[in-house]
Amino acid sequence: MPVIAAVETAHRDGILTATCLMVSGAAAEDAVARAKRLPGLAVGLHVVTVCGRPTLPPDEVPALVDEAGNFDDDLVRAGFRYFFQPAARRQLAREIRAQFTAFAATGLPLDHVNAHTHKHVLPTVFGMILRIGREFGLKAVRVPWEPPAPDRRPTLGQVFVGWWIALLRRRAVRAGLRVNDRLYGLGASGRMDRDAWLPMLRDLPDGVSEIVCHTATERWDGI
């Protein structure tokens, strides 16, 4: 798997210090085996609620999946379903618990939690992660906020997103979780080359910053 191989190489030979695991992913077993050979690599749980497959059998979460057993690829539609449909919320809670349980079964220490496509910014999903995660030793969560470019005036949409993310941050801190101060790489997703990396590293402010990069040793279907 190009992504998993790249994570291992970047940790051994570069500066990558943390990664996350999709427990329902096809290559999860290989990823766990490699992580256990890299004790210095922090591994978190990448909760999947859209654009993927559930950990539970699809017939146990019919309100969450389509006929092929896949989560919805439409992020907005999935968000409305999780908020407004009681059956979907109950099944989502069971699925999130199953993902935490599957991660615990790997024996890897739980470093942090984030969610596929940052779906934990939704209050419904985030509330479940907080409540269920406490039972599994949840200590840290990613806050997906990337500061706007200093030479550009933020749009109304960016102002709203910043306000929304600030609420998520306060909720996480009140729950006693560690959070990052800022995150970089979202705007350069898919083109994290030298020209993107160097300015980020040069201008990092004080505090805890996370740089997100989807590594791969070669092109694959996910890129």
Side-chain angles (χ1 to χ4, degrees), residues 94-207:
R94 291 199 297 271
E95 171 60 25
I96 289 176
R97 178 177 295 279
Q99 293 186 31
F100 271 99
T101 300
F103 187 96
T106 68
L108 295 170
L110 178 63
D111 181 74
H112 64 278
V113 171
N114 53 44
H116 198 41
T117 72
H118 309 293
K119 209 62 176 175
H120 61 302
V121 301
L122 297 181
T124 303
V125 177
F126 192 60
M128 292 178 185
I129 288 175
L130 287 182
R131 175 171 54 82
I132 297 169
R134 287 191 183 98
E135 303 174 29
F136 293 86
L138 175 62
K139 297 178 181 178
V141 66
R142 170 191 287 167
V143 175
W145 182 74
E146 183 167 27
D151 58 342
R152 294 183 182 179
R153 185 175 181 178
T155 65
L156 182 61
Q158 289 172 326
V159 171
F160 174 78
V161 169
W163 171 80
W164 187 266
I165 296 298
L167 292 179
L168 181 145
R169 180 192 301 278
R170 285 198 291 271
R171 188 176 180 185
V173 171
R174 285 199 303 268
L177 300 181
R178 299 194 309 270
V179 298
N180 54 299
D181 297 306
R182 61 199 66 79
L183 179 145
Y184 296 94
L186 295 182
S189 181
R191 48 187 175 84
M192 285 288 286
D193 56 14
R194 178 186 178 89
D195 292 337
W197 272 96
L198 291 182
M200 291 179 190
L201 296 175
R202 183 183 61 242
D203 299 329
L204 283 180
D206 293 336

